[in-house]
Amino acid sequence: MTGAPASPPPPPPPPGVHRAAFDGSFTGPLAPPPSPPPPRDPATDAVLAIPLGTRKLVAMALDLLTRQDSGLRSASFYIGLIVLVTIGPLVLLVAVAATLGVQLFDPFEPSSLDGPIFVTSFLALAGYVVAGIESRALAVAVIGGRAEGRPMRLRESVAIARRRFWVVFGANVLVGLVAGLVSLAVQLPIGLLLGNVEAINYGLGLVIGTLVAVPFVYVPPAIILGEVGPMEAIRRSIRLARARLRLALVVAMFSIVSQFIVLFGISIGGDVVVRIYDGTGITEVPAVLAILVAAALTFAFGTLLFLVEAITTAPAVYAFEALTHYTHGLEAGRERPAGGRWPWNPWFTRGLLAATALGLVCLVAGFAGVA
């Protein structure tokens, strides 16, 4: 009896097709492929509308500074508050000493104001540095939001300035060190050849300082808007400056203008005080009046400090957004604005509260000694 015919063997696999085989040596999990990074937020119409022409761009930036809805007033008051509580104690103590005719730091007859003035001098120095860094970061945030057509609240701008404070501080130190060394290397031989002429040396310093600052004009916007560290911000600023050298040169010139604005504002404030003093015919200024005037001038100096930074920063922010179309660094402030459960938040941090308490202690100690 014959068996059933054997079934034909399966056909061979087509060439070029590999069979799936189980690899027993593989024991890891089967993970899905990594997801692609989220797409970057598109640039707003306001950013796309910023012209790259130097004249039009600078005109647009300066137009923002003259508008009442620019958002700069409340930010300047915030910087004025920082200056008042940190530099104010030193100014008030010196004003009282000048009003009462107290001789300061006399080795033979020490005054009760010597110790408080010595302590508040360090407090004022630290406050001036903090106010300068906060002014620059806050100006970039406020102007950057206006330039992209999405104005930011003060709490949002303050949150960005505080989060990026140490990054901006580190970049300022690096840029200041490099620019200072380059300026010194260029000015020293020229000064030796031309001699010690004050007018020539001052003008030469302004020109060389402007030229040295050209590669670094976009460092603050790169940190605040571009979300990078100090070294990367310097590298990006150099690349952007090389791409539009004429625009970077014009932006750098605004730092010179800001210096003259500070000198002009201080001279006007002092002139007003002197004219009021001479016009009223007061021979002896009461200590209370001296304290009030000194406090008002200190607060005004803080607001002036911010406005000067805004004038310096506005063209750089507009140019950075026009060249890169990137403003995502502002989203951190919109998502997590500054605030807190205490009534002094967000205007006072713990460090500023400690500085305020130290200043008040020094004021009480100084006034009690001369009372």
Side-chain angles (χ1 to χ4, degrees):
M1 184 176 179
T2 60
S7 60
V17 178
H18 301 279
R19 289 184 176 183
F22 175 73
D23 186 3
S25 62
F26 177 77
T27 57
L30 296 176
S35 58
R40 195 185 74 181
D41 294 339
T44 61
D45 293 337
V47 173
L48 297 176
I50 299 177
L52 279 175
T54 302
R55 183 179 302 177
K56 293 182 179 179
L57 186 145
V58 173
M60 183 179 292
L62 295 181
D63 179 67
L64 170 69
L65 300 177
T66 59
R67 287 164 47 185
Q68 294 184 354
D69 61 341
S70 61
L72 300 177
R73 180 180 300 176
S74 57
S76 67
F77 288 167
Y78 169 69
I79 300 299
L81 176 64
I82 294 178
V83 172
L84 181 62
V85 300
T86 55
I87 304 179
L90 174 63
V91 177
L92 298 184
L93 290 172
V94 173
V96 170
T99 303
L100 301 179
V102 178
Q103 187 70 26
L104 299 176
F105 300 102
D106 189 343
F108 301 103
E109 191 176 349
S111 169
S112 60
L113 294 175
D114 293 345
I117 289 179
F118 179 78
V119 175
T120 53
S121 298
F122 293 96
L123 179 62
L125 178 61
Y128 181 77
V129 173
V130 171
I133 302 297
E134 288 268 356
S135 296
R136 183 161 301 180
L138 193 61
V140 173
V142 173
I143 297 173
R146 294 282 170 172
E148 70 168 350
R150 301 172 60 197
M152 303 183 64
R153 296 179 301 164
L154 181 59
R155 291 175 179 267
E156 298 170 345
S157 302
V158 169
I160 294 175
R162 289 177 181 174
R163 289 190 180 102
R164 308 298 287 174
F165 176 86
W166 291 111
V167 182
V168 177
F169 176 78
N172 280 359
V173 172
L174 290 175
V175 171
L177 182 62
V178 173
L181 292 177
V182 174
S183 299
L184 181 62
V186 175
Q187 292 184 52
L188 186 59
I190 298 178
L192 293 176
L193 292 175
L194 299 179
N196 189 16
V197 182
E198 183 177 356
I200 296 178
N201 291 337
Y202 182 74
L204 185 64
L206 287 179
V207 173
I208 295 176
T210 302
L211 295 177
V212 172
V214 168
F216 310 110
V217 293
Y218 301 116
V219 170
I223 293 174
I224 303 298
L225 305 178
E227 306 174 285
V228 296
M231 297 303 299
E232 180 61 26
I234 292 175
R235 285 192 289 266
R236 293 188 181 186
S237 178
I238 294 174
R239 290 197 297 267
L240 293 176
R242 291 177 60 186
R244 294 275 181 169
L245 186 58
R246 179 184 174 185
L247 178 60
L249 180 61
V250 173
V251 171
M253 291 178 62
F254 277 84
S255 62
I256 298 179
V257 177
S258 65
Q259 296 178 18
F260 285 105
I261 291 176
V262 172
L263 295 176
F264 186 68
I266 294 176
S267 62
I268 287 181
D271 183 68
V272 169
V273 173
V274 172
R275 288 179 181 273
I276 293 177
Y277 179 78
D278 293 338
T280 55
I282 300 177
T283 58
E284 184 177 353
V285 180
V288 176
L289 179 60
I291 291 174
L292 294 177
V293 172
L297 292 178
T298 305
F299 181 81
F301 174 76
T303 60
L304 177 64
L305 181 64
F306 174 79
L307 294 178
V308 167
E309 286 292 343
I311 295 174
T312 305
T313 302
V317 171
Y318 271 78
F320 181 87
E321 293 190 6
L323 291 170
T324 64
H325 295 168
Y326 192 91
T327 58
H328 190 266
L330 301 178
E331 296 303 318
R334 295 188 175 102
E335 295 172 358
R336 297 183 299 275
R341 5 177 229 180
W342 304 106
W344 55 77
N345 284 324
W347 322 120
F348 283 88
T349 60
R350 294 180 179 178
L352 194 57
L353 280 175
T356 304
L358 178 60
L360 289 176
V361 170
C362 293
L363 285 176
V364 172
F367 294 162
V370 297

